[in-house]
Amino acid sequence: MDTRNYQAFLAVAELGSFSKAAETLFITQPAVSKRIATLESLLGSPVFDRAGHSILLNEAGRALLPIAQRIIRDIEESRRVLANLNGKISGQLSLVTSHHIGLRRLPETLRRFGQQYAGVKLDLAFMDSEEACHRIEQGEFEMGVVTLPLRASGQLKLTPIWQDPLCIAVAPDHPLLELDTVTLADLATHRAILPARGTYTRSIIEGQLVQQQRALDVVLETNYMETIRMMVAVGLGWSALPKTMLSNDLREIPINELKMVRTLGLVQHAQRSVSNASAAFIKLLPI
């Protein structure tokens, strides 16, 4: 069976739209429709329910989804293994990272990689660390440089690179700076701006703050550290930020009973081979 049919199926399943799938695959919408129709004809069953503008997987489609994902992963794995035999560093490297790490930790590595391996097409995506780990586990990306999870999946290989201490940060005119010492109870009386629930960083923060001080006045949640930093700097609340983000428009508030550190590092699928391009990139990381 033509694997392009599977690729079209996976794109429509993910995006819920034939037109969006066509844009992602760089083909026309009729071509996507034809591939899905061919797939359904060969399988002898429709794989989508079409209700108005909504495209949803039906029971057959849900059963096919993990099989199609495995087929595409196996083909990509075969290509990597064969490409590695000649030792040439070329092809495509699919890398995912978070916005914060991409902006503050990876620019020099990316610059050096681009200079040394111009023959490699870098497929770089930005997303939350949690989503990145999930998509690496699903085989959609070869590797990621993200905040490492506190509890690792058995399907993932984690390599620590940086220890990233967090601190309580406020604007220079924040009322907490008027206190001689600040406790967790003091923090709870002021507005907080934190990463979204379910993120690795939020878990690290709450692991100490919430256990010792049950209620926090969280007025805003966002997954973008740069956005949190800006909102703290203009006085909208306090937050726990990486110490590397401190500068003249922020002040650190030391709290003796509070020690927060997150680990940033490399995430790979434990069962996948490492392409030559991936191995070259890893050598440039400060591991």
Side-chain angles (χ1 to χ4, degrees):
M1 185 181 293
D2 193 336
T3 56
R4 293 177 300 177
N5 298 338
Y6 282 123
Q7 291 171 333
F9 165 73
L10 291 174
V12 175
E14 177 183 358
L15 300 170
S17 166
F18 279 70
S19 59
K20 291 179 180 178
E23 292 174 5
T24 300
L25 298 172
F26 301 103
I27 58 178
T28 65
Q29 184 172 336
V32 172
S33 299
K34 183 177 180 180
R35 291 182 186 182
I36 297 300
T38 300
L39 181 64
E40 291 177 328
S41 176
L42 290 169
L43 295 174
S45 172
V47 293
F48 292 109
D49 286 332
R50 301 162 177 81
H53 295 293
S54 299
I55 306 295
L56 302 173
L57 287 170
N58 61 17
E59 184 177 3
R62 290 191 294 272
L64 177 63
L65 183 62
I67 298 172
Q69 291 171 333
R70 185 170 64 249
I71 289 171
I72 296 302
R73 285 199 303 267
D74 288 346
I75 290 173
E76 291 175 351
E77 176 75 1
S78 299
R79 288 172 177 164
R80 274 193 301 273
V81 170
L82 294 176
N84 286 353
L85 293 177
N86 61 23
K88 185 177 180 181
I89 299 174
S90 60
Q92 178 173 296
L93 171 60
S94 58
L95 171 68
V96 61
T97 188
S98 68
H99 291 85
H100 174 73
I101 295 174
L103 287 171
R104 295 181 175 266
R105 299 282 188 171
L106 284 184
E108 177 60 19
T109 300
L110 292 169
R111 183 189 67 80
R112 292 172 59 198
F113 186 80
Q115 290 176 342
Q116 296 180 32
Y117 306 105
V120 176
K121 179 183 177 183
L122 183 62
D123 176 20
L124 179 62
F126 294 88
M127 64 187 66
D128 299 339
S129 297
E130 300 71 32
E131 177 67 14
C133 287
H134 172 70
R135 295 178 70 170
I136 292 169
E137 190 170 355
Q138 294 299 312
E140 296 179 41
F141 291 94
E142 190 169 353
M143 64 180 185
V145 182
V146 296
T147 301
L148 298 185
L150 298 177
R151 290 171 294 277
S153 161
Q155 295 295 311
L156 296 177
K157 176 185 176 183
L158 309 181
T159 306
I161 301 177
W162 303 281
Q163 291 300 301
D164 196 30
L166 305 177
C167 67
I168 302 300
V170 297
D173 58 351
H174 197 282
L176 283 170
L177 291 172
E178 299 174 4
L179 303 178
D180 292 333
T181 57
V182 177
T183 66
L184 295 178
D186 295 323
L187 280 183
T189 64
H190 292 269
R191 294 175 298 178
I193 303 168
L194 296 179
R197 287 186 181 276
T199 60
Y200 301 147
T201 302
R202 178 69 173 263
S203 298
I204 292 169
I205 296 169
E206 288 189 331
Q208 295 191 50
L209 287 177
V210 175
Q211 286 179 15
Q212 299 181 51
Q213 186 66 43
R214 293 183 181 178
L216 294 177
D217 182 15
V218 181
V219 295
L220 184 66
E221 298 180 359
T222 176
N223 290 351
Y224 298 103
M225 281 292 182
E226 302 296 330
T227 301
I228 293 176
R229 187 198 182 286
M230 179 274 292
M231 291 182 174
V232 172
V234 300
L236 297 183
W238 62 265
S239 189
L241 292 172
K243 288 192 175 187
T244 55
M245 299 185 80
L246 294 176
S247 60
N248 293 334
D249 57 349
L250 291 177
R251 297 289 185 272
E252 177 183 356
I253 294 183
I255 300 178
N256 292 331
E257 67 263 44
L258 194 60
K259 303 295 181 189
M260 298 178 292
V261 179
R262 62 180 188 169
T263 303
L264 315 180
L266 177 68
V267 178
Q268 300 165 277
H269 196 290
Q271 276 77 51
R272 288 180 65 171
S273 61
V274 179
S275 69
N276 291 339
S278 180
F281 187 88
I282 292 171
K283 287 182 179 179
L284 296 177
L285 293 170
I287 297 176

